[in-house]
Amino acid sequence: MRPNAQTLIRKLEHVTLLADEEKQVLIEAVVRTRDLRPNEDLIREGEQPTDRHVILEGVLCRYKLLHEGKRQITGFQIAGDLCDLCGLLMGRMDHSVGTLTPVTVGVIPHQTLRRIMECHPRVAEALWQETLIDASIAREWIANLGRRKAYQRLAHLLCEMSVRLKAIGQVTDGMSFEWPLTQGEVADAMGLSTVHVSRTLQQLRVEGLVITQGDEIRVLDWDRLQEAGDFTPDYLFLGSDLGNRGRYP
Amino acid sequence: MRPNAQTLIRKLEHVTLLADEEKQVLIEAVVRTRDLRPNEDLIREGEQPTDRHVILEGVLCRYKLLHEGKRQITGFQIAGDLCDLCGLLMGRMDHSVGTLTPVTVGVIPHQTLRRIMECHPRVAEALWQETLIDASIAREWIANLGRRKAYQRLAHLLCEMSVRLKAIGQVTDGMSFEWPLTQGEVADAMGLSTVHVSRTLQQLRVEGLVITQGDEIRVLDWDRLQEAGDFTPDYLFLGSDLGNRGRYP
DNA sequence: CGCCATATTGATCGGGGTCAACGGCTGTGG
DNA sequence: CCACAGCCGTTGACCCCGATCAATATGGCG
């Protein structure tokens, strides 16, 4: 049952090791799953939902709508991510979360999570860390949007997604992964127009950095892609440096 | 002694009410103060500092350096803000924090803060909330950089700063406040060039939305400024809606 | 007073937005 | 089975916001 609830654990343990009991409690916290179709909202800005959600499968995005029908995607979320932790403590969402693909989420009742946090401070800390990583990614996006131009920006996004997907085992044979985003969605994330996303992606293909085949992207030259995007994975807090992981008894 | 340590308390209580004892503990956690001059780094990206800092006076910014000497400021910090909470849990800074003005910070030893968090879960929660608000502001900046053009972007920044400064009592007679930022710094925050910041600010002045007098900015027409910047203060979590404040016993 | 950082203004250039047309793909209904 | 409609990606033409370069105030500060 719930074969994928492990993804959350795996994610949390990138930074903080958990005891078996803590893992068990978390897995049991998922009282049910919920399936969503593409382009559905899981939560909307301003809402005050009573359940929390872990992504078990699929891709979602945080986004904000601004006047004139413009949209800005502020981050992507993949399996193992917690969608709405901010709602847990702030009581109200400052942004919406919507699906980009078919999605399965695990539902964790607000109260359950609160109780877990009280009894298991290390779990609370791991969750806190998740939100800090989220913030770190957001800051990197600010830099990406503010100071890099389209070509570098897209390269950077591809690097980020490929590292994050790799961390959850969704990169096959080293260099290719599912890319379920339309160019319009990429545009809304990178602050560009769809037209320019198309041209710029093409550029990346012409340069031989990536190729796309259907819903899949294959990175042909990781080093040059990373360089093009001025990318370093530090801000994702995934890698071999493990934060204060050593504190586990 | 430390007349300004209250600013932290006031800030935290925007979202969570604290018991007197908790406030006292926090105030005593500040073992000393430290003065910095303008353009000094408090912490640098990658560092793993052992103290935490509360701003008692002055303005700082989070920033990242990218190749080619470019800089992106990812957020401003004012009195009452905690500079480096991310370092507390992540063990490593993903960005630098530097001063923009003369600054006084309160120093809180890492271990002290950890102990406080263990003994006073509500304080831990309040701190967590601070980091969540930080993340919320970052997301709003992403939208600002990605989907608004210079004029709206600057208007939005002015709105944000004036609301935040008002919340800590640094807006005099309703509409004017210190603006210690150079146009170069504004440019690095808004993803623009200094030249264009100059022109756009001028535009705001010509339109009669603000006037600048020395280091001070006065908002002449709040409604139009807010409209120009497509600004709503919800994401700052300061206002009359107080999150889950009710939970205080 | 001269020096340096900052602000302003003008001129020019280019990245990327916008508008529009077109082709490919998928789904749906006659 | 085909016709048609949408959605998505691609390509071209044109234009504008904002970057860049450069020169000129302005204003502390030694």
Side-chain angles (χ1 to χ4, degrees), chain B residues 16 26 29 34 36 38-39 55 60 65 90 93 135 139 147-148 159-160 192 201 224 227 237 244:
Chain B
T16 303
L26 266 173
R34 186 176 151 200
L36 298 112
N39 296 316
I55 304 175
L60 297 91
L65 296 175
M90 303 311 298
M93 293 293 290
R139 281 186 291 266
R147 284 297 180 218
R148 288 198 266 258
C159 288
E160 173 176 314
L192 300 167
L201 264 183
R224 278 171 60 218
E227 193 190 7
F237 291 93
N244 43 15

Side-chain angles (χ1 to χ4, degrees), chain A residues 36-72:
Chain A
L36 297 111
R37 281 168 312 144
N39 296 315
E40 215 174 320
D41 280 333
L42 180 59
I43 328 149
R44 285 212 189 84
E45 185 172 340
E47 280 183 7
Q48 198 165 334
T50 58
D51 292 329
R52 308 268 75 91
H53 301 92
V54 203
I55 303 175
L56 302 180
E57 202 175 343
V59 179
L60 297 92
C61 67
R62 305 184 188 278
Y63 71 90
K64 292 190 159 216
L65 296 175
L66 358 158
H67 70 159
E68 303 161 14
K70 290 182 180 174
R71 176 172 77 152
Q72 176 67 43

Side-chain angles (χ1 to χ4, degrees), chain A residues 64 89 92 140 188 241, chain B residues 64 92 129 140 147 241:
Chain A
K64 292 190 159 216
L89 288 185
R92 162 171 64 80
E140 185 68 26
D188 281 344
D241 106 318
Chain B
K64 292 189 158 216
R92 162 170 64 79
Q129 284 171 334
E140 185 68 26
R147 284 297 180 218
D241 110 318

